[in-house]
Amino acid sequence: MKLSSKILASLVTFPCPRCRYKVEIQLLDARVQVYRYCPCCRARIRLVDADGSMFGGLEEVDLAMEQLTKALKGLF
């Protein structure tokens, strides 16, 4: 399993834009840009990765892990 898959399954919190209640989501929710409802005020919140930085960042993480794995295999 790639590290990016584990990262996407991670839970993060952010404040609701309306009532500031801490909403918990998986990072995958932000990547696929879904809507979530605040459990406190029921505001509909759209999660947006406007510049695609999450997608690019996850690819960089996987590439770095592959390079690290190759380097470690070369040492042993």
Side-chain angles (χ1 to χ4, degrees):
M1 177 180 259
K2 291 186 175 188
L3 181 59
S4 62
S5 297
K6 292 179 183 180
I7 292 171
L8 285 173
S10 300
L11 296 173
V12 295
T13 60
F14 69 93
C16 169
R18 184 186 294 168
C19 71
R20 309 310 290 168
Y21 183 84
K22 293 188 183 208
V23 180
E24 187 174 73
I25 61 160
Q26 281 188 318
L27 283 176
L28 178 62
D29 294 339
R31 181 171 181 201
V32 296
Q33 302 186 31
V34 298
Y35 287 93
R36 289 289 177 248
Y37 287 93
C38 172
C40 183
C41 72
R42 303 300 296 161
R44 187 175 184 211
I45 305 165
R46 181 161 186 224
L47 305 171
V48 178
D49 182 16
D51 59 0
S53 60
M54 183 178 290
F55 182 75
L58 290 172
E59 285 185 351
E60 289 178 21
V61 166
D62 286 335
L63 179 61
M65 285 304 296
E66 288 174 20
Q67 291 173 343
L68 177 61
T69 301
K70 287 179 185 177
L72 290 174
K73 283 182 181 179
L75 293 175
F76 302 105

